[in-house]
Amino acid sequence: MESGIDLQGSLIDLLTNFGLPSEVAKVVWMPLPMLLMLVVATVGVLVAVWLERKISAAAQQRIGPEYAGPLGSLQPVADGLKLLFKEDIIPNRADPWLFTIGPALVVIPVFLSYLIVPFGQNLVITDLGIGAFLWIALSSITPIGLLMSGYSSNNKYALLGGLRAAAQSISYEIPLALSVLAIVMMSNSLSTIDIVEQQSGYGILSWNVWRQPVGFIIFWVAALAETERLPFDLPEAEEELVAGYQTEYAGMKFALFYLGSYVNLVLSALLFAVFYLGGWSFPVPVEAIAGWLGLSEMSPWVQVVTASLGITMVLLKTYLLVFLAILLRWTVPRVRIDQLLNLGWKFLLPVSLANLLITAGLKLAFPVAFGG
Amino acid sequence: MLKFLKQVGDYAKESFQAAKYIGQGLSVTFDHMSRRPVTVQYPYEKLIPSERYRGRIHFEFDKCISCEVCVRVCPINLPVVDWEFNKEQKKKKLNHYSIDFGVCIFCGNCVEYCPTNCLSMTEEYELSAYDRHELNYDSVALGRLPEKVTLDPMVTPMREFAYLPKGVSDPHDLPKGSKRAGLRPEQILEQLEREQGDRDDAASDAEKN
Amino acid sequence: MNLAEGVQFVSFGILAATTIAAALGVVLLENIVYSAFLLGGVFISIAGMYLLLNADFVAAAQVLVYVGAINVLILFAIMLVNKTEVFQPMKNAWFRKGATALVCVGLFALLATMVRSTSWAVLDSVAPIESTAIRLGEHFFSDFLLPFELASVLLLISMIGAIVLARREFVPEETDAQREVVFRLPERPREPVGAIGESSSASENS
C-alpha cells in the first residue's frame, strides 16, 4: 500500500523552510489534527442531530425542523446556543463538585476515542498499536461519570438512572469487546488502520461483514446499548425515570450529556464502518479503477481524489448506520431492564463467545480467507 | 442430549423469527418515510372547522330571557346569570351573563336547550390567555363574532379530512373546485324532497285508482 | 533535555502528584463515595504512568479492568447499601488508627528500601517495544504460562462461586412464631376458579 498524502511531513517541511527548527514545527503541527477532530466530531453531532430530527419526522409523517436555515439544518446550532445561554442550575443539597465533574467525565472519554478513528491511510490522529482496545477501555470510564452524576443529583430517579446506565454499559461491553476481538484476531492487529488494510483488496467482497455476519449484528446491538439508543434507552426512560441521570441537569451540563450521547453514536457508527464495512475503501478497489483508467497512483491529483473519496466513503457509511439507528429507534419498543440483561448475558454473550471460537477455528482451517 | 439439541434449535429458530419481525417492522417504518407529511403548519395553515364544530360559545344579550335553563343543563352549572325582577314590566331584566371557558367542557348542552337560541357554538378555538381569569368571558366578550379562518389573509385554510375528495388524505394543493366525497346537505335535501314527491305521486295515483 | 523529555518529565510530575493526592483523599476523606471516585482517579493516573513507561497495552488494560470494572463494582456496592447511619464513636479508636499507621509506615519503609537497593540503571538500555500486545502474549504463553493459567482458573472459580451464591434461593425457615406476625394484604386468598362455589358453600355451612 502506498503511503498516500503525508500532511504532517508537508507542513513540517513548509515550516522548516520558513526557518523554524523542526521540533517547533512538530509542536505547531501537533494540536492541529486534534482541533480538527474536535471540530469534526462536533459538526458530526450537529449533522446527526439534524438527521435524527428530520428522519424521525419523516418516519412519523411530520415535517420536522423547517425554518432555521435551509431545511432546518441550523436547528441543532440554535438548540446548542440556547443551551449555552441557559442558567447553570445546581440543585439544592446536590453535591456541587460531583455534579459538575460528572458530565465532563461522560464526554471526555468519548472525544478521546476519536484519536483512533481513521478517515484515510494517513488521516488519523495517531495510529496506535492498541487502537480498538483503547476505545473499549475509554468507553468503560463513562459509567463512572454516569454514576457520579446520578449520585450527586440528590434525586431518586437520577440515582436509579445512573445505576441502570452503569449496569447496562458494563454488561454490554463484554459482547462488544468479544465481537471486536474476533475482528482483531482476523486482522492480527488492534490498530484500526491495519483492520481496514486487511479488508482492502477485493473491494466490497473483502469487507468483514461477509466474514463476520454474527459479529456484525452483535456489535451493532451492543453498540446501541452502549450509546443508550432507543431500544435500550432505559437509563433515561421517560415513562419510568423522568430522564434518568439527566433529570436535574440544565443548560450547558445537560448539553454535555446530549453532545456526549450523539458523539458516542457517531463514534460507534464510525468504528462500525471501520471494523465491518471496510473503513475508507470504495466498494471497488481504487487501485483497480486507477489501473483501468491508466493513471499512476502516485500522481498528486489521484492521491487527492483518493483521499477525498475515502473521507466521503467513511462519512457515507457512518451516516448510513446512524440512519439505521434512527430507523430502529422508531421501530423497536423499549426493552425492560430484565429483558435487557437477559439479552446481554444469556444471548449476546454466549453467541459472541461461539462466534469468537468459530472465527478462531476458521482462521486455523482457512488462513487465506480469515487472515493467517 | 436430543432434548437439549431440540431446545437449542428452538431457541435459534425463535431468535431468527424475532430478527425477521424486527426486519418487517423496519420495512414498515421505512415505508412511512416516503409518505407525505400529514401535518398542518399551524400558525400559517389552519383547518376549516366543520359545521358542527363546538368552539367558543356565542351569546346574544338581547335575546336572553334569563330563564337559567343553560345553568340547569350545564354539567357543572357554569353560566352565571345575573338578573333582577323588573316590577313595572313584570319581567326579568338581565344584568350580566358570563361563562368561564377555563372550566367549560364545550358539551353544547346549553346551546341545545336554550329556548330563545341566544346561545350558539362558534368555530373559534384559539382561547389561550396569559391569565386564567381572562378566560372568564362576560356578555360583551361572549357577544363578539369569531374571525373566519378563510378570510384571514395570513392563513392558508385547509379542509378537514371529511371534506376532502374521495381517496385524498392530504389537504395540501387540492385542485380548484374539488368536491368532498358524498352528497352535500342541500343535495341530500333535494333528494329527500324528490323521493317524497315520488311517494306522494304514487300515493295520489293509488288513490285515483 | 530535549522537548520530548521535558514533556515526559512534566507529565510524570503531574501524574505523581495526582496519584498521591487522590490516594490520600481515598484514605482521609469522611465521605465513602468521594473515596470511591478518587480511587478511580488513582487508577487512571497510574494508567498514565504506564503510558509514560511505553506500556500502552497495560495502561489500557488498567483503565478497562480497574476503572471500568472494579471501581464501578465498588461504587455499585456503596450506592446499593449506602445507609445514612450515625456511627457510634468507638472506644480506643486511637489504638486502631495507630496500628494501621504503624503497618503502613512499615510497608512504606520496606518498599522504600527495596526501591533504593534495586539498581535501576539497567532499564536505560531497554529499547521501546514496537507492539506491546504481541510481546505480552508471547510471554503469557511461554515463560509465564503457569501463572497465567492459574490466574484464569482462579477467576473461573470465583465466577462460578458468585453464580452459585447468586442463584441460591434463600427461603428462610418459617416457624410458627414468625407466621403469626406475617402481614397479609387485605385480599381474599387466591383460589382456583372451580373451587369458588364449593368454598362459598362451605363457608355458609360453617
Side-chain angles (χ1 to χ4, degrees):
Chain A
M1 189 81 190
E2 303 302 330
S3 58
I5 306 169
D6 187 7
L7 284 175
Q8 178 179 6
S10 327
L11 186 94
I12 290 173
D13 278 352
L14 184 75
L15 287 179
T16 39
N17 286 347
F18 277 124
L20 283 169
S22 66
E23 276 202 345
V24 177
K26 262 188 189 168
V27 172
V28 170
W29 162 258
M30 247 193 275
L32 289 183
M34 300 181 200
L35 274 179
L36 187 69
M37 211 45 137
L38 268 182
V39 171
V40 164
T42 315
V43 171
V45 167
L46 295 181
V47 174
V49 170
W50 178 74
L51 272 182
E52 166 113 42
R53 295 188 61 168
K54 271 304 206 195
I55 294 171
S56 305
Q60 296 164 356
Q61 296 181 38
R62 292 185 284 114
I63 295 174
E66 193 181 10
Y67 295 107
L71 285 174
S73 54
L74 293 178
Q75 192 65 49
V77 183
D79 290 351
L81 278 177
K82 184 204 91 174
L83 285 172
L84 198 64
F85 286 119
K86 275 187 84 164
E87 187 189 352
D88 184 32
I89 298 167
I90 293 175
N92 197 13
R93 296 193 60 201
D95 194 316
W97 280 99
L98 295 185
F99 193 76
T100 313
I101 299 169
L105 259 188
V106 174
V107 171
I108 290 170
V110 185
F111 272 105
L112 269 184
S113 307
Y114 270 84
L115 274 177
I116 56 144
V117 177
F119 287 91
Q121 184 64 30
N122 276 327
L123 299 171
V124 59
I125 297 183
T126 44
D127 177 18
L128 285 175
I130 52 158
F133 192 55
L134 182 79
W135 173 52
I136 291 165
L138 282 175
S139 70
S140 72
I141 299 180
T142 314
I144 299 244
L146 298 179
L147 274 176
M148 199 180 261
S149 43
Y151 169 78
S152 63
S153 294
N154 191 24
N155 177 321
K156 58 188 164 193
Y157 297 119
L159 182 59
L160 279 173
L163 286 175
R164 271 191 186 186
Q168 176 174 335
S169 96
I170 50 179
S171 50
Y172 275 77
E173 210 152 75
I174 299 163
L176 190 76
L178 285 174
S179 55
V180 173
L181 199 59
I183 295 283
V184 167
M185 209 154 67
M186 283 187 356
S187 49
N188 290 322
S189 170
L190 283 160
S191 150
T192 42
I193 300 272
D194 289 351
I195 289 171
V196 176
E197 291 277 283
Q198 177 259 340
Q199 297 176 63
S200 63
Y202 301 103
I204 193 167
L205 291 176
S206 57
W207 291 357
N208 274 336
V209 199
W210 314 117
R211 284 180 278 189
Q212 285 284 328
V214 179
F216 176 80
I217 292 165
I218 293 168
F219 185 96
W220 189 235
V221 172
L224 282 181
E226 282 280 294
T227 53
E228 289 157 19
R229 291 288 305 175
L230 199 95
F232 307 108
D233 75 333
L234 308 137
E236 50 212 82
E238 301 93 339
E239 291 85 359
E240 313 162 24
L241 293 181
V242 190
Y245 52 86
Q246 304 171 351
T247 308
E248 296 289 348
Y249 281 90
M252 205 49 215
K253 286 174 191 156
F254 173 76
L256 279 184
F257 276 127
Y258 196 75
L259 185 72
S261 74
Y262 277 97
V263 174
N264 210 351
L265 174 68
V266 176
L267 176 75
S268 298
L270 274 169
L271 286 172
F272 192 72
V274 165
F275 289 150
Y276 290 96
L277 300 178
W280 61 83
S281 51
F282 197 63
V284 183
V286 181
E287 294 85 18
I289 297 178
W292 293 334
L293 296 176
L295 298 164
S296 163
E297 256 184 77
M298 288 311 291
S299 62
W301 69 271
V302 172
Q303 295 258 334
V304 169
V305 168
T306 315
S308 34
L309 190 69
I311 295 174
T312 320
M313 283 319 290
V314 174
L315 292 179
L316 208 67
K317 288 166 186 172
T318 305
Y319 282 105
L320 193 75
L321 291 163
V322 171
F323 171 73
L324 186 68
I326 297 167
L327 212 60
L328 268 171
R329 171 179 180 170
W330 298 113
T331 306
V332 188
R334 179 186 299 135
V335 294
R336 258 184 352 243
I337 184 84
D338 60 323
Q339 291 169 334
L340 176 96
L341 294 176
N342 268 346
L343 180 70
W345 290 105
K346 293 188 184 167
F347 182 74
L348 291 182
L349 182 61
V351 171
S352 56
L353 277 173
N355 181 44
L356 188 64
L357 193 70
I358 291 169
T359 311
L362 285 173
K363 180 176 161 144
L364 288 178
F366 309 104
V368 184
F370 288 87
Chain B
M1 188 63 199
L2 259 177
K3 200 183 160 200
F4 176 72
L5 281 180
K6 190 177 174 301
Q7 270 181 335
V8 170
D10 286 350
Y11 192 65
K13 216 169 90 183
E14 275 171 28
S15 317
F16 277 110
Q17 225 161 22
K20 201 184 89 186
Y21 290 147
I22 289 175
Q24 279 177 352
L26 276 177
S27 66
V28 169
T29 319
F30 191 76
D31 179 60
H32 270 264
M33 287 189 53
S34 57
R35 300 186 190 179
R36 275 197 72 164
V38 295
T39 42
V40 173
Q41 298 297 299
Y42 164 64
Y44 309 105
E45 300 173 347
K46 284 179 188 170
L47 286 177
I48 307 166
S50 58
E51 292 101 337
R52 301 211 175 176
Y53 189 82
R54 298 205 297 244
R56 196 256 294 166
I57 291 162
H58 180 259
F59 174 71
E60 275 177 79
F61 193 85
D62 300 333
K63 274 192 190 172
C64 183
I65 54 169
S66 316
C67 64
E68 291 195 15
V69 149
C70 46
V71 184
R72 286 174 186 230
V73 296
C74 182
I76 44 175
N77 301 341
L78 186 59
V80 178
V81 188
D82 172 25
W83 54 268
E84 59 190 340
F85 193 72
N86 190 334
K87 284 201 173 143
E88 284 102 67
Q89 290 186 313
K90 290 186 179 166
K91 263 185 179 172
K92 290 177 185 169
K93 180 177 171 293
L94 184 62
N95 290 333
H96 301 100
Y97 186 90
S98 68
I99 296 176
D100 188 349
F101 288 110
V103 191
C104 178
I105 61 166
F106 302 95
C107 65
N109 273 355
C110 48
V111 176
E112 189 88 0
Y113 282 91
C114 183
T116 57
N117 276 344
C118 69
L119 287 170
S120 57
M121 287 297 199
T122 67
E123 55 188 44
E124 188 185 340
Y125 51 86
E126 285 149 325
L127 288 166
S128 50
Y130 283 108
D131 181 357
R132 68 193 158 92
H133 302 294
E134 286 172 26
L135 291 172
N136 193 355
Y137 279 41
D138 66 353
S139 47
V140 179
L142 282 169
R144 289 194 190 111
L145 282 172
E147 189 87 357
K148 264 190 125 176
V149 173
T150 41
L151 297 180
D152 193 339
M154 291 286 289
V155 174
T156 318
M158 294 280 147
R159 291 204 213 165
E160 277 182 348
F161 185 68
Y163 295 83
L164 293 173
K166 198 177 179 186
V168 179
S169 60
D170 183 27
H172 299 86
D173 308 327
L174 278 180
K176 243 192 162 179
S178 48
K179 295 242 171 74
R180 63 184 257 199
L183 298 169
R184 299 171 66 78
E186 53 265 31
Q187 286 171 321
I188 295 173
L189 192 69
E190 227 172 74
Q191 200 182 6
L192 282 175
E193 278 171 351
R194 209 166 43 237
E195 276 173 17
Q196 187 66 39
D198 289 352
R199 227 174 293 142
D200 289 348
D201 287 351
S204 57
D205 286 353
E207 262 175 45
K208 273 181 196 167
N209 301 336
Chain C
M1 189 187 282
N2 61 15
L3 195 76
E5 275 178 18
V7 169
Q8 211 159 14
F9 183 74
V10 170
S11 17
F12 174 77
I14 294 170
L15 283 172
T18 46
T19 311
I20 292 171
L24 283 177
V26 172
V27 183
L28 297 177
L29 282 180
E30 290 284 315
N31 191 338
I32 193 168
V33 179
Y34 284 169
S35 301
F37 282 127
L38 280 174
L39 192 62
V42 175
F43 289 146
I44 287 191
S45 28
I46 286 179
M49 297 268 196
Y50 285 141
L51 270 187
L52 283 185
L53 295 171
N54 280 329
D56 49 357
F57 191 86
V58 182
Q62 162 92 7
V63 171
L64 179 67
V65 174
Y66 281 91
V67 181
I70 291 182
N71 201 25
V72 170
L73 201 71
I74 290 171
L75 279 167
F76 250 88
I78 289 171
M79 285 186 186
L80 290 180
V81 290
N82 193 7
K83 284 186 195 165
T84 46
E85 215 172 275
V86 183
F87 291 108
Q88 298 291 328
M90 271 196 314
K91 281 177 197 166
N92 299 332
W94 61 270
F95 178 73
R96 279 192 172 202
K97 282 179 183 165
T100 317
L102 206 66
V103 171
C104 289
V105 167
L107 203 60
F108 180 74
L110 211 62
L111 288 172
T113 48
M114 198 274 287
V115 166
R116 282 192 60 81
S117 62
T118 312
S119 54
W120 298 95
V122 186
L123 295 179
D124 285 342
S125 62
V126 176
I129 302 162
E130 196 55 41
S131 174
T132 47
I134 292 174
R135 283 292 288 275
L136 272 174
E138 279 169 2
H139 279 298
F140 272 148
F141 285 99
S142 56
D143 42 352
F144 289 104
L145 185 62
L146 186 67
F148 178 62
E149 290 296 330
L150 276 181
S152 49
V153 169
L154 184 71
L155 284 176
L156 183 69
I157 291 170
S158 61
M159 192 172 81
I160 293 173
I163 291 172
V164 167
L165 281 179
R167 277 186 68 88
R168 186 180 56 177
E169 307 221 333
F170 186 70
V171 185
E173 300 250 330
E174 276 192 39
T175 57
D176 290 340
Q178 276 178 325
R179 192 170 288 170
E180 282 167 13
V181 294
V182 159
F183 293 106
R184 285 191 189 283
L185 287 174
E187 283 177 19
R188 213 157 43 126
R190 284 180 65 186
E191 287 164 356
V193 179
I196 288 175
E198 294 170 26
S199 66
S200 62
S201 59
S203 60
E204 276 165 26
N205 292 343
S206 62

